[in-house]
Amino acid sequence: TEWNRAMRQGHPLSLVMLDIDYFKRVNDDLGHLAGDDCLVSLARVCANEIQRSGDLLARYGGEEFSVLLPVTPEAGAISVAERLRVAVAETPVHVGGHAGTVELSVSVGVATITPVPGTSPSDLIARADEALYAAKGAGRNRVMVFRDTGAQAISDS
């Protein structure tokens, strides 16, 4: 729906994809219930940072989340992505049945497209995913943005 609206109106559509760094360790070391607590906490932190009513936060799968930002140019999406990255890093997770907290970080990929005929939502997803995996490959806990010349770093831990 948002893709078609952006195409009709000629507005940019941005996608932010986040993946919890080293999440397998949480599940392996503390158990899947602790992992579930981390997922719920991450969703809550992200929901608190998403400020516009039209923005959409969703669990994309596993420990990956996406934020669709209608009518948002690249600079705005980068700002949201960095705010999310910092908020997650600054929010320790209290997991049931364990003393102490779990510190999380996320790798984040950002992509922006102004839809035109011949493009599809899968193009936007592929670009954000490429930037996300570039962030993981560059050391995690950072934001990278898709550019036609390749993913570029925006922030480091």
Side-chain angles (χ1 to χ4, degrees):
T1 300
E2 289 299 337
W3 183 267
N4 291 333
R5 181 176 302 148
M7 188 177 307
R8 278 192 316 273
Q9 297 175 351
H11 291 148
L13 187 61
S14 292
L15 182 64
V16 175
M17 296 187 77
L18 305 92
D19 191 76
I20 301 174
D21 296 328
Y22 305 111
F23 187 68
K24 185 176 180 334
R25 284 190 202 162
V26 173
N27 281 332
D28 289 350
D29 294 348
L30 301 175
H32 290 278
L33 291 178
D36 289 348
D37 289 342
C38 290
L39 293 171
V40 169
S41 176
L42 178 74
R44 187 175 300 118
V45 168
C46 290
N48 288 338
E49 293 296 323
I50 305 301
Q51 299 172 347
R52 299 182 316 173
S53 62
D55 296 344
L56 175 67
L57 168 67
R59 184 172 176 197
Y60 192 70
E63 65 275 10
E64 197 169 337
F65 289 78
S66 62
V67 182
L68 186 64
L69 302 167
V71 194
T72 304
E74 182 182 275
I78 290 168
S79 177
V80 169
E82 180 61 13
R83 198 171 66 238
L84 292 169
R85 186 192 69 79
V86 169
V88 169
E90 292 179 347
T91 306
V93 179
H94 301 277
V95 293
H98 295 278
T101 59
V102 175
E103 306 290 327
L104 297 178
S105 67
V106 289
S107 296
V108 186
V110 176
T112 302
I113 291 179
T114 300
V116 296
T119 60
S120 72
S122 62
D123 297 324
L124 181 61
I125 294 167
R127 290 174 178 202
D129 201 45
E130 182 178 324
L132 168 64
Y133 281 93
K136 288 210 168 278
R140 294 177 163 67
N141 191 23
R142 66 194 66 229
V143 174
M144 305 251 328
V145 64
F146 179 88
R147 301 267 168 73
D148 289 332
T149 56
Q152 294 182 347
I154 299 303
S155 66
D156 294 342
S157 55

